[in-house]
Amino acid sequence: MKIYLLIFLAAFIFGCNSSILDDPSTTIQYSIPEPSHVKLTVENSYDTIIAVLVDGDLQAGSFQVNFDTNKLAEGIYFYTLEIKTQSGNNSKMIRNMLLIK
Protein backbone atom coordinates (compact mmCIF):
# COMPACT_ATOMS: atom_id res chain seq x y z
CA MET A 1 0.00 0.00 0.00
CA LYS A 2 2.88 2.37 0.78
CA ILE A 3 4.29 2.01 -2.74
CA TYR A 4 0.95 2.82 -4.35
CA LEU A 5 0.55 5.88 -2.16
CA LEU A 6 4.07 7.03 -3.02
CA ILE A 7 3.48 6.57 -6.74
CA PHE A 8 0.21 8.46 -6.49
CA LEU A 9 1.83 11.35 -4.66
CA ALA A 10 4.90 11.35 -6.88
CA ALA A 11 2.95 11.40 -10.10
CA PHE A 12 0.31 13.92 -9.07
CA ILE A 13 0.12 16.50 -11.84
CA PHE A 14 -2.41 19.29 -11.75
CA GLY A 15 -3.14 22.65 -13.27
CA CYS A 16 -2.45 22.06 -16.94
CA ASN A 17 -5.33 22.95 -19.19
CA SER A 18 -6.45 20.30 -21.63
CA SER A 19 -7.02 23.04 -24.21
CA ILE A 20 -4.64 25.92 -24.82
CA LEU A 21 -6.61 28.63 -26.57
CA ASP A 22 -5.59 32.28 -26.21
CA ASP A 23 -2.39 32.15 -24.19
CA PRO A 24 0.62 30.92 -26.21
CA SER A 25 1.95 29.17 -23.11
CA THR A 26 0.73 26.85 -20.40
CA THR A 27 1.90 25.99 -16.92
CA ILE A 28 2.47 22.40 -15.84
CA GLN A 29 2.48 21.89 -12.07
CA TYR A 30 3.65 18.80 -10.22
CA SER A 31 4.72 17.64 -6.76
CA ILE A 32 7.27 15.10 -5.62
CA PRO A 33 7.28 13.66 -2.08
CA GLU A 34 11.02 12.97 -1.74
CA PRO A 35 14.29 13.86 -3.50
CA SER A 36 14.10 12.36 -6.98
CA HIS A 37 15.38 12.48 -10.54
CA VAL A 38 12.61 14.13 -12.56
CA LYS A 39 12.19 14.20 -16.32
CA LEU A 40 9.35 16.19 -17.90
CA THR A 41 9.03 15.99 -21.69
CA VAL A 42 6.54 17.14 -24.31
CA GLU A 43 5.85 14.93 -27.31
CA ASN A 44 3.77 15.30 -30.45
CA SER A 45 1.28 12.72 -31.69
CA TYR A 46 4.08 10.93 -33.59
CA ASP A 47 5.94 10.12 -30.32
CA THR A 48 8.65 12.66 -31.15
CA ILE A 49 10.01 14.56 -28.16
CA ILE A 50 9.74 18.25 -29.00
CA ALA A 51 10.83 19.67 -25.64
CA VAL A 52 12.58 18.54 -22.48
CA LEU A 53 11.32 20.87 -19.75
CA VAL A 54 13.00 19.24 -16.73
CA ASP A 55 15.76 16.64 -16.55
CA GLY A 56 17.56 16.61 -13.25
CA ASP A 57 17.61 15.91 -9.54
CA LEU A 58 15.11 17.86 -7.44
CA GLN A 59 14.34 18.07 -3.75
CA ALA A 60 10.86 17.23 -2.47
CA GLY A 61 8.25 19.91 -3.09
CA SER A 62 5.87 21.48 -5.56
CA PHE A 63 7.08 22.82 -8.88
CA GLN A 64 5.72 24.53 -11.95
CA VAL A 65 7.12 24.82 -15.46
CA ASN A 66 6.00 27.30 -18.09
CA PHE A 67 5.82 25.82 -21.61
CA ASP A 68 5.75 28.20 -24.61
CA THR A 69 3.54 26.81 -27.38
CA ASN A 70 3.95 29.80 -29.69
CA LYS A 71 6.02 27.96 -32.34
CA LEU A 72 3.94 24.77 -32.34
CA ALA A 73 1.31 23.79 -34.87
CA GLU A 74 -2.24 23.02 -33.81
CA GLY A 75 -2.72 19.47 -32.65
CA ILE A 76 -2.57 17.02 -29.78
CA TYR A 77 0.52 16.97 -27.60
CA PHE A 78 1.45 14.83 -24.62
CA TYR A 79 3.57 15.62 -21.62
CA THR A 80 5.25 12.86 -19.65
CA LEU A 81 6.48 13.11 -16.06
CA GLU A 82 8.95 10.41 -15.03
CA ILE A 83 10.10 10.26 -11.41
CA LYS A 84 12.86 8.02 -10.06
CA THR A 85 13.14 8.34 -6.30
CA GLN A 86 16.30 7.72 -4.33
CA SER A 87 14.52 4.89 -2.50
CA GLY A 88 14.00 3.04 -5.80
CA ASN A 89 10.34 3.79 -6.49
CA ASN A 90 9.64 4.86 -10.06
CA SER A 91 6.53 6.38 -11.58
CA LYS A 92 5.45 7.71 -14.94
CA MET A 93 2.39 9.75 -15.85
CA ILE A 94 1.25 10.95 -19.26
CA ARG A 95 -1.29 13.72 -19.89
CA ASN A 96 -2.51 15.26 -23.14
CA MET A 97 -2.95 18.83 -24.33
CA LEU A 98 -4.96 20.12 -27.25
CA LEU A 99 -3.45 23.17 -28.96
CA ILE A 100 -5.90 25.29 -30.94
CA LYS A 101 -4.80 28.57 -32.50
Side-chain angles (χ1 to χ4, degrees):
M1 183 70 169
K2 182 179 176 184
I3 291 175
Y4 291 115
L5 179 60
L6 178 62
I7 290 172
F8 173 76
L9 290 174
F12 184 71
I13 301 177
F14 56 92
C16 183
N17 298 327
S18 60
S19 177
I20 305 166
L21 297 173
D22 298 325
D23 191 2
S25 68
T26 191
T27 301
I28 300 171
Q29 299 177 340
Y30 61 95
S31 297
I32 54 175
E34 64 180 277
S36 306
H37 183 85
V38 176
K39 186 170 185 180
L40 179 61
T41 58
V42 177
E43 302 165 359
N44 62 19
S45 57
Y46 300 107
D47 288 332
T48 303
I49 295 176
I50 59 169
V52 177
L53 304 177
V54 177
D55 190 5
D57 295 327
L58 298 176
Q59 296 297 317
S62 296
F63 302 90
Q64 63 182 21
V65 177
N66 193 28
F67 177 55
D68 183 10
T69 60
N70 209 16
K71 296 180 182 179
L72 297 178
E74 287 186 345
I76 298 173
Y77 295 89
F78 303 90
Y79 60 95
T80 303
L81 178 67
E82 296 177 77
I83 298 172
K84 296 179 181 176
T85 66
Q86 293 178 351
S87 61
N89 294 319
N90 300 329
S91 61
K92 181 176 182 178
M93 182 164 293
I94 301 171
R95 294 284 189 252
N96 61 351
M97 299 181 284
L98 176 61
L99 177 60
I100 301 172
K101 293 186 176 185

